[in-house]
């Protein structure tokens, strides 16, 4: 079976459980994902299905993608993603994956792109303590010593230094599925998931 679905992070809210406790949840809208291509071991060297989701106007589809959709005989989709499966021959182009497949799922892994923070120093990026805050100190937010003198006379690879922060692919595992709304194509998971609002996320059965 296809154990994943792609959707859009709507945002966070809270709901009340049966015991009247407040549960923080992230709302993910996962419209039906359409199988746009089937890849098998014989034709492509591996087993996978290509899922398409998101509406796009036909006039906005470039010629290579329009040819791909026309060859497969499916409506154009804004996004295309692949999901590995055990036996891709069981599926055919035009099949759909909906949130109904997650109705009995207790835990999921959610993958998304984290928020970009731009160029960040070591205190923000790695939580360094920093130097004294007094006016007499000339060392406040710098990283401190980064290397040695004569031996080995270089800075080791992997040292934590200032640099680009965020825009990474992040997976949060074993999030609890609180509710599945098949009418609205919504999945409510407990806790936070990576990315900003309207970001594309993958929900996979844990």
């Amino acid at each position: 079976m296809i154990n994943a679905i792609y959707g859009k992070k709507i945002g966070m809210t809270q709901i009340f459980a049966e015991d009247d406790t407040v549960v923080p949840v992230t709302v993910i809208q996962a419209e039906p994902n359409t199988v746009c291509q089937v890849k098998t071991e014989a034709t492509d060297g591996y087993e996978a299905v290509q899922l398409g989701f998101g509406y796009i106007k036909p006039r906005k589809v470039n010629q290579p993608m329009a040819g791909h959709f026309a060859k497969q005989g499916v409506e154009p989709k804004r996004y295309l993603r692949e999901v590995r499966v055990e036996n891709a021959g069981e599926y055919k182009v035009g099949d759909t994956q909906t949130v109904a497949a997650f109705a009995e799922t207790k835990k999921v892994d959610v993958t998304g792109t984290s928020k970009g923070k731009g160029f960040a120093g070591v205190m923000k990026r790695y939580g360094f303590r920093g130097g004294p805050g007094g006016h007499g100190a000339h060392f406040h937010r710098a990283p401190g010593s980064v290397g040695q003198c004569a031996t080995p006379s270089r800075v080791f690879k992997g040292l934590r230094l200032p640099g680009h922060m965020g825009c990474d692919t992040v997976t949060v595992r074993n999030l609890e599925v609180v509710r599945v709304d098949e009418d609205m194509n919504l999945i409510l998971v407990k806790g936070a998931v990576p990315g900003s609002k309207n970001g594309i996320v993958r929900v996979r059965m844990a």
Side-chain angles (χ1 to χ4, degrees), residues 92-108:
K92 61 180 184 295
V93 175
D95 291 347
T96 57
Q97 171 80 332
T98 65
V99 297
F102 293 80
E104 304 299 328
T105 303
K106 301 299 182 183
K107 300 281 187 177
V108 293

Side-chain angles (χ1 to χ4, degrees), residues 56-115:
I56 185 173
K57 295 180 180 179
R59 64 182 179 83
K60 291 191 175 183
V61 181
N62 58 29
Q63 288 188 350
M65 294 308 301
H68 173 70
F69 291 122
K71 180 180 179 180
Q72 300 298 328
V74 295
E75 292 291 326
K77 300 295 182 181
R78 181 173 291 274
Y79 306 104
L80 291 177
R81 298 291 188 273
E82 278 191 8
V83 175
R84 293 294 187 101
V85 294
E86 292 294 333
N87 189 4
E90 298 177 356
Y91 309 96
K92 61 180 184 295
V93 175
D95 291 347
T96 57
Q97 171 80 332
T98 65
V99 297
F102 293 80
E104 304 299 328
T105 303
K106 301 299 182 183
K107 300 281 187 177
V108 293
D109 299 338
V110 181
T111 303
T113 303
S114 62
K115 291 182 179 180

Side-chain angles (χ1 to χ4, degrees), residues 5-195:
I5 190 171
Y6 285 87
K8 183 182 295 185
K9 175 182 174 180
I10 301 301
M12 292 194 70
T13 184
Q14 61 185 23
I15 63 175
F16 290 94
E18 295 180 357
D19 57 354
D20 291 335
T21 57
V22 177
V23 181
V25 296
T26 300
V27 182
I28 299 173
Q29 185 176 38
E31 297 180 356
N33 289 191
T34 304
V35 176
C36 296
Q37 186 179 4
V38 176
K39 298 190 175 184
T40 62
E41 185 74 30
T43 59
D44 300 276
Y46 63 99
E47 302 283 329
V49 292
Q50 186 185 75
L51 298 177
F53 58 100
Y55 173 76
I56 185 173
K57 295 180 180 179
R59 64 182 179 83
K60 291 191 175 183
V61 181
N62 58 29
Q63 288 188 350
M65 294 308 301
H68 173 70
F69 291 122
K71 180 180 179 180
Q72 300 298 328
V74 295
E75 292 291 326
K77 300 295 182 181
R78 181 173 291 274
Y79 306 104
L80 291 177
R81 298 291 188 273
E82 278 191 8
V83 175
R84 293 294 187 101
V85 294
E86 292 294 333
N87 189 4
E90 298 177 356
Y91 309 96
K92 61 180 184 295
V93 175
D95 291 347
T96 57
Q97 171 80 332
T98 65
V99 297
F102 293 80
E104 304 299 328
T105 303
K106 301 299 182 183
K107 300 281 187 177
V108 293
D109 299 338
V110 181
T111 303
T113 303
S114 62
K115 291 182 179 180
K117 305 294 185 180
F119 190 94
V122 290
M123 291 182 67
K124 179 176 180 178
R125 195 180 186 194
Y126 297 112
F128 278 26
R129 179 172 175 268
H135 292 280
H138 297 282
F139 172 71
H140 298 293
R141 302 182 66 90
S145 177
V146 296
Q148 297 77 29
C149 181
T151 305
S153 298
R154 65 186 177 89
V155 176
F156 288 116
K157 290 183 178 180
L159 195 69
R160 294 178 295 175
L161 293 171
H164 186 270
M165 181 180 178
C167 286
D168 296 319
T169 299
V170 181
T171 300
V172 180
R173 302 185 185 277
N174 295 321
L175 291 176
E176 179 185 344
V177 178
V178 178
R179 186 179 301 169
V180 176
D181 190 337
E182 299 180 17
D183 296 330
M184 300 291 291
N185 299 316
L186 299 178
I187 300 177
L188 276 64
V189 297
K190 183 178 180 180
V193 304

